[in-house]
Amino acid sequence: MTTPVVQARGIVKRYGHVTAIDHSDFELRAGEVLAVIGDNGAGKSSIVKAICGATIPDEGEILIEGKPVKFSSPIEARDMGIEIVYQNLALSPALSIADNMFTGREIRKKGWMGKILRMLDKPAMEKFARDKLTELGLMTVQSIKQPVETLSGGQRQGVAVARAAAFASKFIIMDEPTAALGVKESRKVLELIQDVRARGIPIILISHNMPHVFEVADRIHIHRLGKRLCTIDPKDYTMSDAVAFMTGAKEPPAQDAA
Amino acid sequence: MSDTTTPASKGQDFEQTLDQSDTQVASFETDQHTVLERIQHLLHNNPTLVPVIVLVISLIAFGLIAGGKFFSAFNLSLILQQVSIIGILAAAQSLIIITAGIDLSVAAIMVLMSVVMGNLAVFAGVPSGLAILVGLAGGVGAGVMNGWFITRIKLPPFITTLGTWSIFYALLLWLSGAQSIRGQDIDTNAPFLKFFGAAFNIGGARITLSALLMIVVFIVLWFMLNKTAWGRHVYAIGDDKEAADLSGIRTDRTLLSVYGLAGFVCALGGWASIGRVGSISPQSFYEGNLDSITAVVIGGISLFGGRGSIMGALFGALIVGVFRSGLRLSGVDVLWQVFAIGWLIIIAVAIDQWIRRVSA
């Protein structure tokens, strides 16, 4: 078996008397969609935040492609090719689609205009943004220069996913990507997830929506009481099994179920 | 992974009918745009259009009311001259307001630094060039101080600059001994301080260097805000600071640079004000803080941050100048000038709110 993309062992995070992560393990394999599910307060976002550097764990080790890492911020993780699609999308509504795709990693013009005047190469950025959106079948917007606030919820999600897909070389974390969307728009995002996976980029999908999880996930990481309860293959279990495991209504299978 | 070669899956049972669903996107009678809606859209895409239109209309209106003396090259260049210092302050203020902040200390920084320059060059015998450099550096320092309180101590910009306004004002009274530095003393000891007071004539128009400086400041800042990554970050921070943070912008560092740059522009305004006024008075420009905010707001820059072009503030400053000059030449009492500008502010903010309500 190839080295997992992410391997975390014995992660602990305490906030005062509260233990958010309690000696939890985590594993993301190459090319897969791994769904992370769990009840509210189970700590599923905490464990994912620990992996991308948004919180710094007190104990435990994280290996990315076999190499131990210690991120102190999501920006460091991003520099390594780890992209996050936040639930609130982290887009600037008044800026254009192209500007938003390049926030924090703009392309400068070549020559003295870029070096001395630090001038942006807007045509190059717009072309790149248009290409990426077309690749993902999202070029339904009229203009790449239009502000993000004029887009629908699904289109905005599309821009955020396209941004992640364009720059991710290791993996993408998506936090509740369908939570705020309608049926049609959710479908589009699920197709996007499958598209991105087809390019070989693994995805960590945090979601409450069982039908969506069971549809796109290759494996499901069930989080309960601050640690990984088990990992299951969605083909072997039903949605009610998964819900039973995560709420503690049913004993989980052995750790290596999937 | 095998399903990646087949077309995307059909999804859940309840979604099977999606294929037959209406392919039209919810349109809400889009082709029934009223004229008002079209205007709203146009303004939303070009926020500087409002002040431009207002400027043109007020020029025409005052030209009709006050006649030829208003439209003379001399009077128009006089307006430019009169707004130059407030215009430079408004440029600094725009930077701050675009980040969703506000700076009540801009005029205090400006006057303080002009006093620093004057004291050094006129009384301490420091070469003028060096005195000016110290003043400009002091402006950066004062701005960074504001920025430090705002980014490190996490104080709201309003409170921070309300405090530093008093602090800088007290300092400038102390440094100047509440005394003006007379024009003759500047002329004999440090004429270079009055550099921006120099003027040249083109066909009846009298253009001062301070007016040119104002225009250059606006062009440089416009370039920085619109053509560099730094500028995009400034807008992103004003738009949604949290989102800017998450998308990898070092927001605190950027904010600090914005306040430092604003301080520098204020100090530059301080140098220009010596030439414009002819002397250095600690009492001058006491209302400059509010006048700069007035120009920014009339210029269509949103007080909520992230929206508007810095060029709007230039037009805003010009509109105020045109109103003042036009009403004066029409023989209207000064109090009605103040009255009119009050209404301009309220109308400008109302239009901003109306434009922001635009949807898709």
Side-chain angles (χ1 to χ4, degrees), chain B residues 22-350:
Chain B
D22 190 357
T23 49
Q24 253 190 324
V25 187
S27 55
F28 304 108
E29 302 168 21
T30 38
D31 39 9
Q32 304 250 329
H33 275 315
T34 62
V35 179
L36 212 59
E37 274 171 349
R38 283 168 195 277
I39 294 173
Q40 195 178 15
H41 263 278
L42 187 68
L43 296 181
H44 187 256
N45 295 333
N46 310 286
T48 327
L49 219 52
V50 183
V52 171
I53 294 168
V54 173
L55 184 59
V56 170
I57 293 176
S58 51
L59 277 173
I60 295 169
F62 285 118
L64 291 176
I65 299 168
K69 54 189 173 182
F70 176 82
F71 252 136
S72 67
F74 177 76
N75 188 52
L76 293 181
S77 64
L78 187 68
I79 293 174
L80 206 59
Q81 225 181 92
Q82 282 165 339
V83 302
S84 59
I85 304 302
I86 292 302
I88 291 170
L89 283 185
Q93 188 70 261
S94 305
L95 284 175
I96 309 284
I97 288 183
I98 288 171
T99 68
I102 194 140
D103 192 341
L104 298 174
S105 70
V106 282
I109 294 177
M110 178 183 84
V111 181
L112 174 60
M113 292 312 149
S114 70
V115 168
V116 167
M117 290 174 195
N119 275 6
L120 286 175
V122 178
F123 299 132
V126 175
S128 300
L130 187 63
I132 288 161
L133 281 182
V134 171
L136 293 178
V140 174
V144 167
M145 178 175 154
N146 279 335
W148 190 83
F149 285 127
I150 290 160
T151 57
R152 297 279 173 259
I153 319 279
K154 309 283 177 207
L155 300 179
F158 184 89
I159 300 301
T160 305
T161 57
L162 186 65
T164 53
W165 175 10
S166 296
I167 293 168
F168 296 147
Y169 189 67
L171 280 179
L172 81 89
L173 286 180
W174 172 64
L175 280 180
S176 63
Q179 301 285 314
S180 296
I181 302 176
R182 291 181 308 153
Q184 301 99 295
D185 292 341
I186 301 172
D187 286 335
T188 46
N189 295 312
F192 189 52
L193 288 186
K194 282 194 178 178
F195 174 72
F196 285 107
F200 53 90
N201 295 304
I202 313 174
R206 194 179 140 76
I207 309 286
T208 57
L209 293 186
S210 64
L212 285 185
L213 175 71
M214 168 182 76
I215 290 167
V216 169
V217 163
F218 271 102
I219 291 173
V220 170
L221 292 181
W222 176 85
F223 179 88
M224 290 175 74
L225 283 170
N226 291 284
K227 300 290 173 191
T228 72
W230 177 85
R232 300 286 84 193
H233 295 175
V234 172
Y235 273 97
I237 290 169
D239 215 353
D240 187 339
K241 182 161 183 284
E242 209 181 322
D245 252 327
L246 292 176
S247 47
I249 296 172
R250 294 180 198 276
T251 50
D252 282 354
R253 245 170 48 181
T254 309
L255 273 178
L256 211 57
S257 70
V258 167
Y259 279 91
L261 179 62
F264 175 82
V265 173
C266 292
L268 204 57
W271 180 15
S273 75
I274 301 173
R276 166 87 189 93
V277 179
S279 62
I280 299 170
S281 162
Q283 320 290 348
S284 61
F285 296 104
Y286 188 71
E287 288 181 356
N289 300 319
L290 299 179
D291 288 343
S292 71
I293 296 171
T294 303
V296 171
V297 168
I298 293 178
I301 298 175
S302 171
L303 281 175
F304 303 98
R307 270 155 238 262
S309 163
I310 190 163
M311 282 303 169
L314 173 60
F315 298 125
L318 289 173
I319 290 169
V320 174
V322 165
F323 263 72
R324 288 237 159 97
S325 165
L327 290 171
R328 193 181 54 245
L329 289 178
S330 317
V332 178
D333 196 315
V334 179
L335 73 92
W336 294 114
Q337 297 175 23
V338 180
F339 181 87
I341 286 156
W343 277 111
L344 270 181
I345 296 174
I346 288 174
I347 293 167
V349 176

Side-chain angles (χ1 to χ4, degrees), chain A residues 2 4 15 19 48 69 76 78 93 101 110 117 130 137 150 160 173 192 210 234 240 252:
Chain A
T2 52
Y15 297 99
T19 306
V48 173
V69 291
E76 280 177 31
R78 197 175 91 162
M101 289 210 33
K110 293 193 175 59
L117 297 181
R130 197 177 299 116
T150 61
I173 297 169
L192 273 179
M210 287 301 149
S240 25

Side-chain angles (χ1 to χ4, degrees), chain A residues 133-188:
Chain A
L133 287 180
T134 315
E135 254 176 58
L136 292 169
L138 287 166
M139 246 346 255
T140 49
V141 295
Q142 297 106 304
S143 160
I144 206 81
K145 289 180 191 169
Q146 87 189 73
V148 163
E149 66 192 344
T150 61
L151 302 179
S152 72
Q155 286 174 320
R156 286 182 207 197
Q157 190 82 45
V159 172
V161 174
R163 171 166 76 177
F167 294 103
S169 56
K170 296 275 194 298
F171 61 92
I172 300 176
I173 297 169
M174 291 191 196
D175 193 359
E176 298 278 4
T178 56
L181 302 181
V183 177
K184 266 191 188 171
E185 296 188 312
S186 294
R187 171 102 339 261
K188 187 85 206 167

